[in-house]
Amino acid sequence: MVSLLLAETKRALLYLKNILTNKIEINNIIYFSKKRDKTFKYLRSKNLLSKTLLLNTKNINSKLISKNINFLKKKIIYSGYPGQIINNIKILKKKIIHFHPGDLPKFKGS
């Protein structure tokens, strides 16, 4: 069982699809974005919105995420926006798995 901290990105969507394809159970999700696009639509299509906290921010270090991070269990899989470095102490106290999944060659460096 995993908790997810996901931004509205192509990588996050791909990662979410792989988690579900491999039948990994999702405990809960924080989805953070200023828009509701493909990742949000996928969450809705898989009936995951009841497990999802929707936050209107694009900044991983925002007070909004910090305030709600305890919604997630201790171990978190994170896929966020490029170039952002987590520096929020409340988030860093969690055990976070962060890597860059992606289909090659579309996402080079994955």
Side-chain angles (χ1 to χ4, degrees):
M1 193 176 283
V2 299
S3 290
L4 304 174
L5 180 56
L6 300 177
E8 178 59 60
T9 66
K10 291 178 184 177
R11 287 181 193 260
L13 176 59
L14 182 63
Y15 198 47
L16 180 58
K17 286 179 178 179
N18 281 312
I19 287 169
L20 293 175
T21 297
N22 287 291
K23 297 181 173 53
I24 298 170
E25 189 175 342
I26 297 171
N27 186 42
N28 47 20
I29 303 165
I30 288 180
Y31 166 85
F32 64 106
S33 177
K34 290 273 190 177
K35 61 180 181 174
R36 305 289 184 248
D37 204 5
K38 292 178 183 178
T39 303
F40 173 79
K41 290 174 184 170
Y42 188 76
L43 288 166
R44 185 175 55 203
S45 75
K46 297 299 180 183
N47 297 316
L48 290 171
L49 290 182
S50 65
K51 296 181 177 193
T52 304
L53 180 60
L54 306 170
L55 300 179
N56 190 30
T57 183
K58 286 184 76 173
N59 181 355
I60 185 60
N61 296 302
S62 78
K63 289 181 182 179
L64 196 56
I65 292 178
S66 179
K67 180 180 164 187
N68 290 288
I69 195 67
N70 288 331
F71 175 76
L72 301 180
K73 298 298 180 191
K74 195 168 187 170
K75 295 179 184 177
I76 300 166
I77 296 174
Y78 167 63
S79 185
Y81 291 105
Q84 292 189 3
I85 297 171
I86 299 173
N87 60 23
N88 183 298
I89 298 301
K90 279 182 128 180
I91 298 170
L92 292 173
K93 285 183 179 180
K94 302 283 187 171
K95 293 184 181 183
I96 299 172
I97 299 170
H98 178 222
F99 56 96
H100 302 272
D103 286 335
L104 295 174
K106 185 176 182 180
F107 295 114
K108 292 180 170 88
S110 295

